[in-house]
Amino acid sequence: MTRRLFGTDGIRGVANIEPMTVEMTMKLGRAAAYIFKRGPGRHQIVIGKDTRLSGYMIENALAAGICSMGVDILLVGPLPTPGISFITSSMRADAGVVISASHNPFQDNGIKFFSPDGYKLPDEVEEKIEELVFSQALDSIRPTATDIGKAYRIDDAKGRYIVFLKNTFPKELSLEGLKIVVDCASGAAYRVAPAVFYELGAQVYPINIHPDGRNINQDCGSTYPQGMCRMVKEKKADLGLALDGDGDRAIFCDHRGNLIDGDQVMAICATRLLKQGKLRQNTLVATVMSNLALEQTVQAAGGRVARTQVGDRYVAEEMARGGYNLGGEQSGHIIFGDFSVTGDGIITALQLLSIMVREDKGLEELSQIMEPYPQILVNVSVDRKEDWSKFTQIGDALREGERRLSGKGRILLRYSGTEPIARILVEGEDEREIAQIGAQIEQAIKRCLNDEGSPVG
């Protein structure tokens, strides 16, 4: 089935333009309610969101669609995506919905669904929802009178989630004496994240905690961590943590302001779990984007890395399939399966902090366990997403790049699942060479996949 709505991480687009319109959102609500309404009795779906202005519009449209199918809704307001996953499973709801476009700018928005156990939906369930949205199958299903759904607000959702997060940190440890800069990206974690670290004893310097509906991810958060790095040096903090708009990813910096990405965090955590005999099947799950040095570091410690396609839900699916308990992405989506079934930036920070406290080491020292290969990522806007093999110019550029790397690096070419972008990853030993290879492939893609370029390479 050709996807018309769902990408690698739910549905995403400019708010009030298809597919993120009130009309489409209401249809999605009706379809999801139908899919998750199992058996007799009342049914419930949790709805949470980040801090975007358009969240009010989309929340009400979703709620109307769900209630029109006879399903009740539980409204929790702004809460990180992993918090919605937690609330969905802990309240035994039939499903969860997050209204968020993650790290995208404020004018975008998106919708992600969770199953009753808190997992993101597999492809086949998303396909069923799409099929219902674009058919007339639900037009005749119109509950009336007392069968129409109700709406309830869960006022203590934040408190429940904070308690859950604190319980993932070892009870015998404390964050007393640590200074932490926490960049909340003016997003969904703006209340939760500072509270967690403060209540565990840290001296917290929170930044970007005054969302106004328009400033989410604006020159802040995990996609723009420079402000966090400056604040760490200014406050002489021990480390910095930058979350994204929906709080499911985290990027760090050490006391000098040096960035620590998801690959380095996974290397630190996986090697400790291996040493303790707690990394299930001795396996870390990562995506094809992760640095080759991560694989080599884990192998040297006696483990292995299983790779998946890009997308934290594919990491989660592989972890569930193989019974693994640690996996994630270079971008900072990391899943600690002993605590959660989805990426959680705050849990990631707490697990990293527990290692720092237990070993009495700073993040700079811990990060030296892995020396990443030079790696560049080039994003190319495209007008069309077509099969690479149709274009000889792209094929020639790829083959020339592989020849120059001579087996001492790799090239990965893929389309974004949420934006009209082709992503080029080049990894190798020489930074100048990989930059040249990336530029050649970029030019070939621009010529072949944009309207001003030739239709065939």
Side-chain angles (χ1 to χ4, degrees), residues 26-42:
M26 191 175 296
K27 290 179 181 178
L28 281 164
R30 286 176 56 79
Y34 179 82
I35 290 289
F36 290 106
K37 190 175 181 180
R38 301 183 181 93
R42 303 297 296 188

Side-chain angles (χ1 to χ4, degrees), residues 57 61 68 78 211:
M57 172 184 75
S68 76

